[in-house]
Amino acid sequence: MGEQQQQENGKPARSFDPREHLVQLKSRQGSQDYLPVSWRIVAFREKYPHGTIDTQEVVIDLDREVEVETFVWNNEKRKSEKVTRKAKGYARFRATVTDGEGGRATGTKSENAANFADYIEKAETGAIGRCLASLGFGTAYAVEFDEGDRVVESPVARE
């Protein structure tokens, strides 16, 4: 991604290659390549140094009771078991990303304390990730867009 840039010492700098930062996530469809949001930001900043990333709290409710069903690995039984988790805390963030050249994306993401202890940060990061994916920074599988069988994001080819 991107053209070679010149470092201060005159030697060419290596351009960011997202393929070097892909991680494997397990899903119902098997292992999938995923580019974490932190590396999407690096790619975005390299290509659009004058771009902006803005976030806004939409809702932070520290007292909202949340209950989720999830699967947890039981070592003794050597299988996943369905459990119900309860916790207080809910957050929703909106992010807007502009590339400085006319491109713009807005995304929202909700998260709760029953799923993640750091649910506030997770919601903010997820909103940024959705925006960057909408602008073409990401992989064919993105947890930000995991809505069942509908997967939407820009692919990054692995050599």
Side-chain angles (χ1 to χ4, degrees), residues 66-84:
V66 181
E67 183 176 305
V68 296
E69 287 187 350
T70 188
F71 287 89
V72 175
W73 181 256
N74 182 324
N75 274 331
E76 195 173 291
K77 295 180 181 178
R78 303 201 40 80
K79 68 176 189 174
S80 290
E81 295 180 328
K82 191 182 240 183
V83 297
T84 300

Side-chain angles (χ1 to χ4, degrees), residues 4 6 12 34 38 46 48-49 55 60 79 89 94 99 111 123-124 132 141-142 144 150:
Q4 290 236 333
Q6 295 292 321
Y34 176 74
S38 58
E46 180 180 284
Y48 301 110
T55 62
I60 293 185
K79 68 176 189 174
R94 176 180 298 115
D99 63 15
E111 206 46 81
E124 184 176 29
L132 292 173
Y141 176 75
E144 294 85 9
R150 297 174 293 160

Side-chain angles (χ1 to χ4, degrees), residues 36-105:
V37 174
S38 58
W39 289 111
R40 291 185 224 173
I41 293 170
V42 171
F44 174 77
R45 290 287 183 214
E46 180 180 284
K47 186 167 183 178
Y48 301 110
H50 300 293
T52 62
I53 298 174
D54 298 302
T55 62
Q56 173 188 5
E57 295 175 12
V58 176
V59 175
I60 293 185
D61 186 344
L62 303 177
D63 297 320
R64 184 184 294 189
E65 287 276 347
V66 181
E67 183 176 305
V68 296
E69 287 187 350
T70 188
F71 287 89
V72 175
W73 181 256
N74 182 324
N75 274 331
E76 195 173 291
K77 295 180 181 178
R78 303 201 40 80
K79 68 176 189 174
S80 290
E81 295 180 328
K82 191 182 240 183
V83 297
T84 300
R85 289 187 183 156
K86 295 179 183 181
K88 283 186 176 185
Y90 173 85
R92 184 179 328 125
F93 272 79
R94 176 180 298 115
T96 302
V97 175
T98 60
D99 63 15
E101 298 179 6
R104 173 186 164 104

